[in-house]
Amino acid sequence: MLSIVKRILGQMKNDKRSLGLLLFAPLLILTLLFFILGDSNYLPQITVVDMNEKFVTELENHATVIAVTEKPGAADYLEANGIDALIWTDTTDTHIDLLEKSSKSAAALEAIQETNKALQPSQNELIIDYVYETSGDNQLDSLGYIFLGVISFFFVFILSGMSFVRERFGQTLERMLMTPISRIDVIGGYTLGYGLLAALQSVVIILYAVYGLQLQVEGSVALCTLVMILMAFSAVSVGALVSIFANNELQLVQFIPVIIIPQIFFSGLIPIDTIPFGLGNLCYLTPIYYGCTALEMIMIQGKGFSEIWPWLLGSVVFIGVLFLANVIALKKYRRL
Amino acid sequence: MKIEICDVNKAFKQQQVLKQISLTIDTGRIFCLLGASGSGKTTLLRIMMGAIPMDDGSVTIGGTAVPNRQLLSEMGYMPQNEALYEELSVWENLKFFSGLQRLHRQKFEADAVALLQIVDMAACKNKLIRDCSGGMKKRISLAVALIHKPKLLVLDEPTVGVDPVLRRKIWLYLKQLRNEGTTILVTTHAMDEVTQCDDAALLRNGHIIARDTVKNLINQTPDGNIEELFFMDNQSEAEVASC
């Protein structure tokens, strides 16, 4: 088993470009995402209906303000004019109408909140209405954890799947199995070898995201790293298992959308309890669900080990099941 | 190690690749499995080593029934293509496969140096495989098969792409191994290689059409050319037609 681990690390050491791609390509993508999703200095367009002048002046520091005297119908008005928010007051409350949950709405809300903060909190309660109500309260800004998980999973999956396919077609797998080594040792060595590389990648990604891109983490960074490492190990096992069903490199690439895209569905991008027909339960079959849920709990909700352990356990069980499946699947190449 | 193959049949999907193969290979001989490409040589080797299951029949090596994992530590296998790790150096490849055989490090180092000398690769042991030529890969692949001093050596077309000088050297070494008691099984479709072997079996379309010592086989032919054996068999025309 140790020989295989050493060999995999040696192979990587001599293949600098693959190693570079493994470690730095995710960082490149994360950086790109950071700029795409990050602070874009977008000036929201906000229409105010008959509000006091102080409020309007302050709001103009944060947004493009259009003042009207009569309240239009929110839905038609927002849609037709490309306005992000409509503010109006009745006797007791201040109402904010928004079109839908999006980063633009978020920017408009932020501008209004900034204004309120500057003006001392108003006594009026803010009532926020969306024209198109969507369930869940994720805002794109808080989805960093999904991308952390998905990107790392993706790269590791390709790495381990490809090397296994290449090993089968270069017949080195057959040669390896024509020694007294047990199948458990082969899969164990493989999982551990690529798992170590994947763990290294996870650490690099998380450190870069937290300290380089200043991604907000409420809970412990170390715990995040642990979750990422577990997810990376499951990605290695998934890659190895899928490679058995791929007859060549092309087919493995074709498996990427089949395997990776459903993972993204269940990673938290779509709230699982809103998926119809109980299809949400499929999430238990996707390793990324366990990882991303745990990451969300740590990074957004600031939860600790005592609260996230069921998801960690889920990851571990998943790795175990895949490990056994791989050991059995290797029977195809040697009967013992 | 004596190999006994008994009534082995093997079919892939509809195609019957091996038909009722029975063969005995004696200890301490160089045995040549001769046949055209596609005649089932490699399939037979794979069955013998336990890589793929036979449909029926049995194989025993040194009295142990195949498949057996411990038996694999007594065998050295050199596949038809090189099956080496491109990103590793010559030395690292040897080290990896010796690790799978659980060799001790000091013993490995001494053996590996000697082996590389024999295959004439000692000077470039730190070269990466991806930078090696085809002939070099072949030699390294042979060294990998020999690293754990197996009692049974299975070589699938070992000297294809090796230059004549080195080829002679390799044959000399194989004969030396045989004299030390190693059983060597070689497949080839190059007829001139056969003369280097002690015994030979001719495989065609999944049948063994002849099996004897090389000397006797050559005596059967009209002009001493072992290739003639493939043409002397009267079945040949019919079977080629059926394909």
Side-chain angles (χ1 to χ4, degrees), chain A residues 1 3-4 6-7 10-16 166-167 169-183 185 331-336, chain B residues 46 49-54 66-69 72-73 77-79 81-85 87-89 92 96-97 99-102 128 130 141 144-145:
Chain A
M1 191 142 94
S3 321
I4 298 182
K6 273 195 217 154
R7 188 209 85 210
Q11 270 179 301
M12 265 302 173
K13 187 194 80 205
N14 290 337
D15 191 359
K16 297 264 174 358
R166 281 176 57 199
E167 190 137 345
F169 289 91
Q171 286 186 13
T172 44
L173 181 66
E174 185 177 36
R175 186 167 218 175
M176 195 152 80
L177 287 173
M178 289 301 111
T179 65
I181 191 169
S182 70
R183 278 180 290 132
D185 275 348
K331 266 197 168 168
K332 194 173 157 191
Y333 300 97
R334 191 183 70 188
R335 285 180 294 155
L336 291 174
Chain B
R46 287 202 169 128
M49 288 180 299
I52 52 174
M54 52 207 130
V66 170
N68 180 301
R69 205 143 59 80
L72 290 170
S73 61
Y77 171 50
M78 174 178 168
N81 67 358
E82 286 72 27
L84 297 166
Y85 292 95
E87 299 88 0
L88 295 182
S89 69
E92 285 166 328
F96 169 62
F97 283 104
L100 295 185
Q101 297 283 3
R102 302 185 187 285
L128 296 188
R130 63 165 175 245
S141 185
V144 167

Side-chain angles (χ1 to χ4, degrees), chain B residues 167-196:
Chain B
R167 189 181 301 185
R168 179 172 294 178
K169 213 167 156 189
I170 288 176
W171 275 114
L172 272 174
Y173 181 63
L174 291 182
K175 280 174 186 166
Q176 186 196 325
L177 283 176
R178 173 201 57 194
N179 296 339
E180 289 163 9
T182 309
T183 309
I184 302 174
L185 178 59
V186 176
T187 73
T188 185
H189 58 250
M191 305 300 166
D192 52 330
E193 302 260 278
V194 181
T195 48
Q196 305 281 352

Side-chain angles (χ1 to χ4, degrees), chain B residues 14-83:
Chain B
Q14 295 303 312
Q15 199 197 352
Q16 190 77 23
V17 182
L18 298 177
K19 299 161 200 161
Q20 292 291 317
I21 300 278
S22 291
L23 200 60
T24 307
I25 297 166
D26 298 316
T27 311
R29 307 281 282 179
I30 299 182
F31 189 95
C32 178
L33 203 56
L34 193 62
S37 14
S39 57
K41 300 185 298 268
T42 304
T43 307
L44 187 57
L45 287 192
R46 287 202 169 128
I47 286 176
M48 281 173 42
M49 288 180 299
I52 52 174
M54 52 207 130
D55 295 340
D56 49 41
S58 68
V59 176
T60 57
I61 297 178
T64 315
V66 170
N68 180 301
R69 205 143 59 80
Q70 287 321 309
L71 210 52
L72 290 170
S73 61
E74 315 266 356
M75 278 194 230
Y77 171 50
M78 174 178 168
Q80 213 166 73
N81 67 358
E82 286 72 27

Side-chain angles (χ1 to χ4, degrees), chain A residues 101 133-138 271 274:
Chain A
K101 282 176 181 163
E133 193 71 40
T134 49
S135 44
D137 16 60
N138 282 328
T274 65

